[in-house]
Amino acid sequence: MWVESEARDYSLDGLSEDAWIKLFMRGAFIGPAKQDKANTRTNQIAKQQYTSSKGSPILAKTLGSIFRYTEVSQWQEVVDALSSYSDVRHSQHFKLMRLQNLSTIPARLALYSSLCNLGWYDYFREDFMHMMITEDLMPQQSFDAKKMYDLAEKIRFDFATTDYYLTTRIGQDSTRIPKQCCHLCLLVDSDSDDASTFPTALSVGGTNRLRTLILLTDEWMVRRGKRCQIIEIPAAMFTNLVHLRILHLSHCRIRELPNTTAKLVSLRYLNLSYTETQALPKHLSNLQNLKILNLAHCEEFRRLPGWIDEFKKLLILKLAYCHKLQMLPESITALTNLLELDVECCQWLVKLPDDLDSMKKLTMLNVDKCVSLTRLSHGIGQLTNLQKLSVHATTDSLASVILELQSLVNLKELRLKKLDGLSSVKDAQALKLKDKIFLKYLALCWEWWNTEVELVTNASLLHEQILEDLRPSLALKNLEIVSYMGKKLPSWLACQEGYLRHLTEIKLVNLRKCERLPPLGQLPGLETVEISGMDSISAVDDAFYGDGDGGTFPRLNSLVFSEMPMLERWLKAKGEGATFPKVWTLTLIQCPKFKELHVRPSTRIYTISLWLNNDKLLTSGFVGWQNLEGVGELEISGCEEMRCLPPGIKHLESLYRLQISRCNSLISLPDWLAELKSLVSLSVRDCAMLSFVPERLKQSPYFRMRIEGCPKLEL
């Protein structure tokens, strides 16, 4: 696949110095004669740039090309110009040449990721992926979304604003949109009146080359559940934008699209998620080229029209969280090219169409949390291409779920919710998870709504027996276990002769009765661990590290401990091996008794996030700050009881970024923050009682300070 070839070309970890310089030279010279004249000078330039480039091959080719198209006599001028930038990638020379060194697909990926501010808007990731699919920049089936996102991030760079692609702020500086503009992103960062309409320039003649129109709401507004105040689209706008292929209108208050939408015959992608849309008007049936339709979180949406089969090219249909949706029309089964159908949390959805088995290309079906759904459609087991299935199994529907799952041999992702309905070990064995050799993601979720269940003497034992028999295949990479009531975890979770050697991520959530942590330190491939709601655990000890002698958690880069009410101590491993040699982020959330951190990671932790209401953290009695001296970023969030910053932060000698948010009892910032020599960025947000910032912090020339949502503070 092209995905793999592009990743090899542009995402290598780094070349050796000799290989990098050779690639640089090959990019810089047209012929041997030119190379002989300037060999010494270019060698010096190449060696200077190698370290900062981290061996990146695309940087070698691009920097070399800058000199290829420059006369040798002018090379020194180019060197001087590049030297004026702390990072040569910000120079205009580099930006111009980089596009020429990227093949068509990576160049367009870079353009779109920059246009969409992908580095800043993480919530936009899935939408970005879908847009790339509609533009044939990513494969439509079986693509590795994470790999493609990483590739887009690796090759992304900041484009200078041009007449061809433009990012502008709606309501402020969007009055002029060039006639040549083909790709436009309108940023919304305010719900004020001046951000309530589309620019008039989009409705006048001459601006008809636009292929992409993205309305992008500020992520902070999205997190707060706010929407922009645009409530309608001028009819003249779509009359003018007849070449539009991508239309993203998420998080606005639009209720219906104008009749002129029918003129958008080239439209491939339509996103109306989080809008007030109630129905799809008949004139939308003209959109014969539509590939992706996103109506997720349209809480007023009631009915999918019977003419939905007019969208014959539709690949992805998202209806998740359309709470008032009750039925899907039988005509949906005529969408024979459909790959994904998502009706997650459509809580009033009563049934699925009976002939879903005719949708042979369907690879993803998400019917999670559809609590009114009494059964799966007969024949789902015949969807031989189905790779992702998420189902909320009720007691009544469990028998049909087990029956259908037995024949889905190609499943790669499976989410099973409400496993409380499994009443015997035979039910678990009938699922035959160990025989699904392609299964890479597995979520096993119970529900624990009634604490009286704990009084049932055999409930814990039954959970243990069932989980033991839900043993997955060797191919598993991601595992979630949620609301399990057993006292011990299954034997297959321990490292047994390389079993689960491919596991990279594990989440254990609300395991309230578990008495021991699992020995995850011995799983060689683990990169992400999240443990939450284990009420009985008081210490992280050798039960967590395991018995291995070759080091613990050799590849782990992210570790989260959350909602651990009894956790007090985090002990270091007894062995001599390196502990957490690659850990990148550490997050502690609501561990109110935590007081001792004896682990000193063998590598520098990049980010620590603390969401703790813990008075011990503020005293000298807390043991551990000195073990975190290499931390680069510290985030303190949601610490409602914290009135002042922990003095132990003084030990963080490498700290360069400090973020504080939603600490509503914080009154002042300490003067000693100015003494942290590495600190270059301080961000404080939504701290209601903050009223004092020392003058030394205000006047410090060494770091940026940003304070928002602190009403008592006057800077």
Side-chain angles (χ1 to χ4, degrees):
M1 291 176 63
W2 77 266
V3 173
E4 297 172 354
S5 64
E6 295 293 350
R8 285 196 298 270
D9 290 343
Y10 297 102
S11 301
L12 294 175
D13 291 335
L15 303 175
S16 67
E17 183 174 1
D18 288 343
W20 193 90
I21 291 176
K22 287 179 181 178
L23 187 58
F24 173 91
M25 293 293 191
R26 189 166 61 189
F29 302 121
I30 295 176
K34 191 173 183 180
Q35 182 172 349
D36 291 341
K37 291 180 181 179
N39 189 52
T40 302
R41 187 179 302 174
T42 48
N43 261 301
Q44 293 173 346
I45 294 169
K47 289 180 179 179
Q48 289 171 1
Q49 296 296 334
Y50 171 72
T51 302
S52 61
S53 74
K54 298 181 180 180
S56 167
I58 190 62
L59 289 180
K61 294 174 66 177
T62 303
L63 288 171
S65 297
I66 294 174
F67 294 94
R68 168 176 290 204
Y69 296 104
T70 305
E71 290 296 326
V72 176
S73 61
Q74 298 176 349
W75 278 12
Q76 190 57 50
E77 296 178 17
V78 173
V79 172
D80 294 341
L82 293 176
S83 299
S84 64
Y85 290 89
S86 58
D87 188 337
V88 296
R89 287 171 290 189
H90 296 158
S91 71
Q92 196 62 31
H93 286 92
F94 182 86
K95 291 178 180 180
L96 291 173
M97 296 309 304
R98 186 168 186 179
L99 276 177
Q100 295 188 32
N101 282 283
L102 289 174
S103 62
T104 302
I105 290 176
R108 293 182 67 194
L109 279 175
L111 186 152
Y112 272 98
S113 62
S114 293
L115 180 75
C116 300
N117 289 278
L118 194 59
W120 293 98
Y121 295 88
D122 286 339
Y123 78 91
F124 201 65
R125 179 183 300 196
E126 184 181 63
D127 294 340
F128 171 77
M129 294 290 184
H130 287 168
M131 284 189 275
M132 298 306 96
I133 291 173
T134 62
E135 289 286 73
D136 299 322
L137 296 178
M138 291 185 185
Q140 297 172 356
Q141 295 189 52
S142 303
F143 70 94
D144 188 328
K146 184 179 185 302
K147 181 184 290 186
M148 290 312 308
Y149 178 80
D150 291 344
L151 175 59
E153 279 294 279
K154 283 180 180 293
I155 63 177
R156 187 178 72 87
F157 62 97
D158 295 328
F159 286 80
T161 297
T162 71
D163 288 348
Y164 180 67
Y165 39 83
L166 178 65
T167 298
T168 185
R169 206 165 298 280
I170 192 169
Q172 295 179 15
D173 53 354
S174 59
T175 55
R176 178 188 172 273
I177 297 175
K179 294 181 179 181
Q180 302 93 324
C181 187
C182 289
H183 306 280
L184 176 64
C185 178
L186 298 173
L187 296 176
V188 180
D189 61 358
S190 169
D191 54 359
S192 60
D193 292 339
D194 65 345
S196 61
T197 58
F198 283 95
T200 55
L202 293 175
S203 299
V204 299
T207 321
N208 58 2
R209 297 187 182 182
L210 209 62
R211 292 177 50 169
T212 303
L213 178 58
I214 298 171
L215 188 67
L216 190 57
T217 305
D218 181 82
E219 187 165 3
W220 193 244
M221 290 177 63
V222 171
R223 289 182 178 181
R224 293 183 173 185
K226 291 187 175 182
R227 302 180 184 183
C228 74
Q229 295 304 303
I230 293 179
I231 59 176
E232 65 177 350
I233 298 175
M237 191 172 85
F238 286 157
T239 301
N240 189 42
L241 305 179
V242 294
H243 300 295
L244 209 60
R245 292 158 67 102
I246 290 177
L247 180 59
H248 184 278
L249 299 173
S250 181
H251 290 91
C252 66
R253 299 185 60 192
I254 292 173
R255 293 188 176 183
E256 60 182 4
L257 296 173
N259 292 339
T260 52
T261 310
K263 295 182 178 294
L264 304 181
V265 293
S266 298
L267 199 67
R268 296 183 175 192
Y269 172 92
L270 177 59
N271 191 324
L272 297 171
S273 62
Y274 293 92
T275 66
E276 298 178 7
T277 302
Q278 297 183 15
L280 297 179
K282 182 64 173 72
H283 55 260
L284 287 188
S285 61
N286 282 11
L287 309 182
Q288 298 290 306
N289 289 301
L290 198 66
K291 292 185 177 182
I292 295 181
L293 175 59
N294 190 343
L295 296 164
H297 294 269
C298 291
E299 296 182 0
E300 299 300 319
F301 191 78
R302 299 172 183 270
R303 184 174 59 87
L304 202 64
W307 52 259
I308 191 69
D309 58 335
E310 296 289 332
F311 296 149
K312 299 187 183 303
K313 295 183 180 180
L314 200 65
L315 302 175
I316 297 173
L317 177 58
K318 293 187 69 68
L319 299 164
Y321 293 86
C322 292
H323 294 311
K324 296 184 178 180
L325 183 67
Q326 296 185 10
M327 299 285 289
L328 296 178
E330 293 294 331
S331 57
I332 197 173
T333 61
L335 298 176
T336 54
N337 287 309
L338 198 68
L339 301 175
E340 297 185 13
L341 175 60
D342 187 357
V343 290
E344 179 183 1
C345 211
C346 293
Q347 55 193 18
W348 294 111
L349 185 66
V350 177
K351 63 184 293 289
L352 296 175
D354 291 329
D355 297 326
L356 278 183
D357 56 326
S358 64
M359 303 167 71
K360 297 298 185 183
K361 292 186 179 180
L362 201 66
T363 60
M364 191 277 275
L365 176 61
N366 186 354
V367 291
D368 184 21
K369 298 179 184 177
C370 296
V371 294
S372 297
L373 192 66
T374 56
R375 65 177 181 84
L376 287 180
S377 295
H378 177 70
I380 283 184
Q382 299 178 34
L383 298 177
T384 55
N385 286 316
L386 199 64
Q387 298 176 13
K388 302 178 184 180
L389 175 63
S390 182
V391 58
H392 185 99
T394 65
T395 303
D396 295 336
S397 67
L398 196 59
S400 67
V401 170
I402 293 174
L403 181 64
E404 299 293 349
L405 280 177
Q406 289 177 351
S407 56
L408 296 177
V409 295
N410 291 315
L411 278 180
K412 293 183 178 180
E413 296 186 19
L414 176 61
R415 293 174 173 85
L416 286 174
K417 305 295 181 71
K418 207 172 182 180
L419 288 172
D420 310 70
L422 289 174
S423 58
S424 69
V425 174
K426 290 183 178 180
D427 290 338
Q429 293 172 342
L431 289 171
K432 298 182 179 180
L433 294 185
K434 64 179 181 297
D435 295 335
K436 300 190 184 306
I437 60 175
F438 302 110
L439 192 64
K440 294 184 178 180
Y441 177 96
L442 176 63
L444 301 171
C445 307
W446 286 259
E447 286 189 359
W448 193 357
W449 299 109
N450 190 346
T451 56
E452 293 180 1
V453 174
E454 296 182 66
L455 301 177
V456 180
T457 55
N458 65 345
S460 178
L461 181 60
L462 180 60
H463 274 226
E464 291 173 10
Q465 293 172 340
I466 287 175
L467 186 56
E468 187 68 41
D469 284 296
L470 290 175
R471 182 187 185 104
S473 71
L474 293 173
L476 199 68
K477 298 184 68 174
N478 299 72
L479 174 65
E480 287 187 38
I481 301 176
V482 181
S483 296
Y484 165 73
M485 284 197 296
K487 293 183 179 180
K488 63 180 182 179
L489 287 162
S491 61
W492 50 261
L493 196 52
C495 185
Q496 297 177 344
E497 298 179 358
Y499 186 69
L500 295 183
R501 61 183 177 274
H502 299 298
L503 198 67
T504 61
E505 180 176 345
I506 186 168
K507 295 182 180 180
L508 305 175
V509 181
N510 290 339
L511 277 58
R512 303 290 180 185
K513 299 182 70 175
C514 272
E515 298 173 344
R516 287 170 61 89
L517 290 170
L520 301 181
Q522 297 179 132
L523 298 177
L526 269 185
E527 298 175 2
T528 301
V529 172
E530 180 179 335
I531 296 179
S532 175
M534 295 186 73
D535 291 355
S536 302
I537 304 300
S538 61
V540 178
D541 51 22
D542 281 342
F544 186 53
Y545 298 121
D547 299 324
D549 297 325
T552 57
F553 298 95
R555 296 185 182 179
L556 192 70
N557 56 54
S558 176
L559 176 58
V560 178
F561 284 112
S562 172
E563 303 290 341
M564 307 281 279
M566 304 303 294
L567 184 63
E568 295 184 1
R569 298 175 299 154
W570 188 346
L571 306 176
K572 60 183 180 181
K574 292 181 180 179
E576 298 181 357
T579 305
F580 306 113
K582 294 186 178 181
V583 70
W584 190 255
T585 62
L586 170 63
T587 303
L588 296 173
I589 302 174
Q590 297 309 337
C591 304
K593 293 187 177 182
F594 189 60
K595 61 182 181 180
E596 297 179 23
L597 176 64
H598 295 281
V599 174
R600 183 185 291 270
S602 56
T603 186
R604 174 178 175 178
I605 298 178
Y606 185 72
T607 302
I608 286 187
S609 296
L610 301 177
W611 299 49
L612 303 175
N613 281 326
N614 185 343
D615 55 2
K616 297 176 179 61
L617 198 68
L618 306 177
T619 69
S620 58
F622 182 85
V623 177
W625 285 110
Q626 62 273 21
N627 291 324
L628 301 174
E629 58 186 12
V631 171
E633 292 189 7
L634 175 63
E635 177 188 5
I636 301 177
S637 182
C639 299
E640 296 285 340
E641 300 174 1
M642 187 179 70
R643 297 172 61 88
C644 59
L645 291 184
I649 293 178
K650 296 178 183 179
H651 292 286
L652 308 185
E653 298 177 355
S654 301
L655 188 68
Y656 66 86
R657 181 176 298 167
L658 176 61
Q659 300 179 63
I660 305 168
S661 62
R662 298 190 298 281
C663 296
N664 289 326
S665 297
L666 183 66
I667 297 174
S668 64
L669 297 178
D671 187 71
W672 50 257
L673 277 179
E675 299 172 6
L676 296 177
K677 297 180 180 180
S678 298
L679 193 64
V680 297
S681 175
L682 173 63
S683 174
V684 185
R685 177 177 283 175
D686 292 337
C687 295
M689 301 302 294
L690 184 65
S691 58
F692 177 73
V693 176
E695 286 298 322
R696 280 211 296 171
L697 290 180
K698 293 180 183 180
Q699 299 175 5
S700 175
Y702 301 110
F703 69 91
R704 303 183 305 274
M705 182 165 61
R706 183 178 182 181
I707 299 180
E708 296 178 330
C710 303
K712 290 194 174 185
L713 187 64
E714 295 182 3
L715 288 177

